[in-house]
Amino acid sequence: MKKCQICGKRASIYLTQIINGQATDLALCETCAREKGLFDPQSLTFAEKFFPEVFRKSVDKIVKELIGQAEEAPAATPKSRCADLLTCCPTCGYKLENFRSCGRLGCSDCYNVFASEIRAEAGAEESGEPLPAEEAAPVSPALQRSRLEQKLQAAIEREDYETAATLRDELKKLN
Amino acid sequence: MAFNFQSLQKQLPAWFRQGGAEGDVVLGTMGRLVRNLPGHAFPGWSTAEGRKAVADILLPAILEQPGFKNAWHAEMTELDYGFRRALLERRQISPCMAARQGGCHLLMNRKQDTVVMINEEEHLAIHSFAPGFDFDTLLQQLYRLPMGLSQALDFAQDAHTGYLTSLPAEAGEGVQLYTVLHLPGMTISNMVPQINRGIEKLQLHIAPFYPHLGEECGCTYILYTTPAPLGALEDTVAHLTTITGTLIERENQVRARLQEMTLRGDVFAIDRLNRSYGLMQYARAITAAEWADAISMLRLGVAAGYITSPDATSDELLAELAGLAIQGGDFATTAPTTERRHPREATAAELARCTAVRHFINHTTLHTAPATA
Ligand SMILES: [Zn+2]
Ligand SMILES: [Zn+2]
């Protein structure tokens, strides 16, 4: 049985990541994974099996962060009771920064806690629709590529691997 | 009742085998309905205890509902990778569910038209399938369970937003709709990317039904809407129905043009059909991708009258074949057991496939021009 590298409890999430040519095994308990803002850790298992390249890229960031943190503060106690009711949901402990990083919510009560943030996001998305002028102008392949890459990055961040797969295919077609 | 993979492999959902009144262009419709329980963290954010608490509420309630009293049921930990993959390939479960473990449950009714996921991306997610182009039947099927459950349970909702989901953009009716389309004509003619650009402006999307087979493969697609906002269910159905109708028309036009080209002596249009027939006749190990492609072309051949059978059962024979498509592996062998170099035990699925292929080839004729009835 592997132990969580942060708190020492029983780990249930295992990630293997190649960093600088070395395979790094990472074991975490679900609580610590959540603490690190790793939304829906189980879905990474899916991504690893069905969608390896994107998985690696996506986990790379997290792992680097975690390793850095683990060295600085080994066995830190994961504690997350809400300090601030405006940025943390009292029902599920979800934080505003979690929402900002993955666009998902922790529970149905989060809708009230983060109401203004959700409205702002929805507004931004609407105005972020492709502009007609932009559509009409011929887009250089390089620009097209960087746009797709941005979209892909965003999809990976929300862990929307289905969209990511489609975008990856579109990128491949540009090659 | 535990899942019986053998029997699931034998009897595939009806719409895999038959089309509707619109011929073979629309294979079926699919719906996804999601609901969450108030006061519980969404599955992506919850702990093992949290997921168990949700399952302890939902599971007994579902098993009380008509049609689910003797449903197949399993906790995800009991299902192996191959089985998960087979379900994923048929879109009966979502990618997220394929990775789920403890505290997450899967149920399927005996008719196999409805799959229920507990602690998927949402607490409750239902995928329902209906053959043909009939959203009334689909919606009835899709709503039966949540309507029954709402007598006993409260779902998380808000008067202005509708049903609340883990992704705020998906909140609303909690329903997403799909049509499953068979578009060999447009695929051969390379028209799908163009169609895709056109419908994206209409807030619709088209994607391969079997994304894992890679691009340029298979002619089966899903056309789908984004999750319907509160109050927009009827509009969504109407919109999807209209655009599906347009695509049926386009596909039939393209097929007619391909037919004309063939009659004028253009071998290009009929080449892929002939290759597919030959593949079925002579190939012994077929990849899942080749298989899907060949089935698509044979479907087209039967629909256009290039493939007939003396007793006019080519439709049924094809349905039998199509029902055996891709079952959780990359290879589909069609070699009879007597031909095996390494005579390992053939699986039931392999034997069924082999028999169906022999049947189809022995009972059908491939013509160089459409046989007119
Ligand atoms: Zn831990
Ligand atoms: Zn919350």
Side-chain angles (χ1 to χ4, degrees):
Chain A
M1 188 197 86
K2 268 202 167 177
K3 285 183 182 167
C4 169
Q5 291 172 351
I6 296 171
C7 74
K9 284 202 213 116
R10 187 178 161 172
S12 60
I13 294 140
Y14 308 100
L15 306 168
T16 308
Q17 179 65 0
I18 311 292
I19 297 170
N20 302 331
Q22 277 198 313
T24 309
D25 279 324
L26 196 74
L28 294 172
C29 73
E30 231 170 304
T31 316
C32 291
R34 284 176 17 155
E35 275 298 300
K36 297 295 161 201
L38 190 56
F39 188 87
D40 206 353
Q42 284 188 347
S43 74
L44 289 172
T45 317
F46 168 78
E48 183 178 28
K49 274 199 169 122
F50 291 83
F51 208 58
E53 318 93 278
V54 172
F55 168 77
R56 270 181 218 121
K57 229 169 131 187
S58 135
V59 176
D60 188 39
K61 213 173 68 190
I62 301 166
V63 174
K64 275 186 192 147
E65 225 179 81
L66 284 169
I67 288 173
Q69 295 236 354
E71 277 164 3
E72 280 163 32
T77 30
K79 255 206 87 266
S80 74
R81 277 305 98 189
C82 294
D84 183 349
L85 287 177
L86 286 175
T87 59
C88 180
C89 171
T91 307
C92 72
Y94 206 65
K95 297 192 196 77
L96 183 58
E97 66 217 58
N98 297 135
F99 175 61
R100 283 189 178 138
S101 73
C102 75
R104 288 184 179 271
L105 293 171
C107 78
S108 52
D109 292 336
C110 291
Y111 274 87
N112 292 325
V113 182
F114 307 120
S116 59
E117 192 82 6
I118 294 167
R119 266 199 307 277
E121 284 272 306
E125 209 151 277
E126 257 155 51
S127 60
E129 290 287 299
L131 301 168
E134 201 182 356
E135 250 336 55
V139 177
S140 76
L143 186 56
Q144 220 176 332
R145 168 180 306 280
S146 84
R147 273 187 201 158
L148 279 173
E149 275 165 357
Q150 271 174 24
K151 277 193 195 171
L152 177 63
Q153 199 48 48
I156 292 166
E157 272 160 25
R158 340 184 263 283
E159 285 164 17
D160 177 359
Y161 296 112
E162 264 184 301
T163 307
T166 317
L167 291 166
R168 179 198 57 181
D169 290 347
E170 278 177 40
L171 267 168
K172 264 194 199 155
K173 273 184 204 151
L174 286 182
N175 287 337
Chain B
M1 187 90 40
F3 271 95
N4 179 341
F5 191 24
Q6 292 275 317
S7 110
L8 280 184
Q9 275 183 317
K10 263 183 232 144
Q11 15 165 316
L12 276 167
W15 60 270
F16 265 90
R17 290 174 270 142
Q18 66 203 53
E22 287 66 33
D24 73 326
V25 180
V26 181
L27 299 181
T29 55
M30 275 164 54
R32 171 180 162 86
L33 182 146
V34 298
R35 295 287 185 267
N36 285 290
L37 298 178
H40 293 268
F42 296 133
W45 186 242
S46 67
T47 57
E49 302 88 71
R51 281 195 283 271
K52 185 173 182 305
V54 166
D56 285 347
I57 297 170
L58 285 175
L59 188 60
I62 293 167
L63 289 169
E64 286 279 294
Q65 296 297 315
F68 281 87
K69 292 206 168 87
N70 61 353
W72 280 302
H73 161 241
E75 188 164 358
M76 289 310 283
T77 41
E78 300 164 41
L79 301 181
D80 65 25
Y81 177 69
F83 187 61
R84 290 168 189 235
R85 187 178 160 142
L87 293 168
L88 184 68
E89 283 168 355
R90 300 173 199 169
R91 293 191 181 262
Q92 286 171 312
I93 61 169
S94 56
C96 169
M97 194 64 185
R100 283 284 184 250
Q101 294 296 348
C104 306
H105 296 255
L106 183 71
L107 296 105
M108 189 188 289
N109 63 353
R110 287 307 175 102
K111 281 159 76 188
Q112 290 191 49
D113 56 26
T114 304
V115 175
V116 182
M117 292 164 264
I118 299 176
N119 286 319
E120 182 236 30
E121 214 161 57
E122 317 291 343
H123 291 144
L124 176 70
I126 304 171
H127 286 190
S128 208
F129 304 81
F133 188 23
D134 179 5
F135 277 116
D136 287 341
T137 305
L138 178 80
L139 289 170
Q140 266 179 27
Q141 233 172 254
L142 188 62
Y143 273 94
R144 198 172 296 139
L145 186 67
M147 298 251 275
L149 289 174
S150 67
Q151 308 287 315
L153 296 173
D154 276 331
F155 292 124
Q157 55 182 312
D158 167 293
H160 300 286
T161 316
Y163 291 104
L164 304 176
T165 50
S166 78
L167 202 59
E170 294 183 352
E173 294 289 336
V175 167
Q176 194 169 9
L177 297 170
Y178 304 72
T179 48
V180 184
L181 298 167
H182 181 235
L183 307 172
M186 290 203 234
T187 308
I188 296 175
S189 318
N190 260 328
M191 284 169 65
V192 176
Q194 174 198 332
I195 298 282
N196 212 353
R197 281 194 294 277
I199 61 170
E200 244 163 38
K201 292 180 189 120
L202 306 169
Q203 309 296 323
L204 287 169
H205 309 275
I206 197 164
F209 186 85
Y210 301 111
H212 60 283
L213 295 183
E215 39 195 307
E216 325 278 316
C217 172
C219 308
T220 310
Y221 299 87
I222 46 168
L223 173 70
Y224 61 99
T225 63
T226 45
L230 185 64
L233 185 61
E234 267 177 50
D235 287 351
T236 304
V237 173
H239 189 44
L240 188 56
T241 305
T242 311
I243 305 300
T244 303
T246 312
L247 288 183
I248 295 173
E249 225 169 88
R250 286 284 276 284
E251 170 68 16
N252 283 329
Q253 284 166 359
V254 175
R255 289 186 190 184
R257 206 182 61 210
L258 287 171
Q259 193 120 315
E260 262 169 50
M261 288 163 65
T262 312
L263 295 177
R264 286 202 312 265
D266 188 328
V267 293
F268 155 79
I270 205 180
D271 176 58
R272 280 183 69 178
L273 168 61
N274 281 260
R275 281 168 184 268
S276 298
Y277 198 88
L279 189 82
M280 281 297 174
Q281 193 163 8
Y282 296 114
R284 285 297 179 260
I286 298 182
T287 65
E290 284 175 324
W291 177 274
D293 235 4
I295 297 282
S296 253
M297 288 304 135
L298 296 180
R299 251 190 226 279
L300 180 62
V302 169
Y306 284 95
I307 296 172
T308 60
S309 63
D311 44 2
T313 53
S314 46
D315 269 326
E316 286 163 41
L317 292 166
L318 178 67
E320 203 185 327
L321 265 192
L324 294 167
I326 315 139
Q327 299 185 328
D330 285 321
F331 270 92
T333 142
T334 54
T337 36
T338 49
E339 287 180 13
R340 283 162 196 266
R341 249 236 218 112
H342 306 288
R344 71 171 166 84
E345 195 110 338
T347 65
E350 283 171 348
L351 290 177
R353 198 155 36 222
C354 181
T355 313
V357 168
R358 293 297 116 219
H359 245 206
F360 185 81
I361 296 297
N362 293 340
H363 287 84
T364 56
T365 312
L366 176 64
H367 308 274
T368 48
T372 40

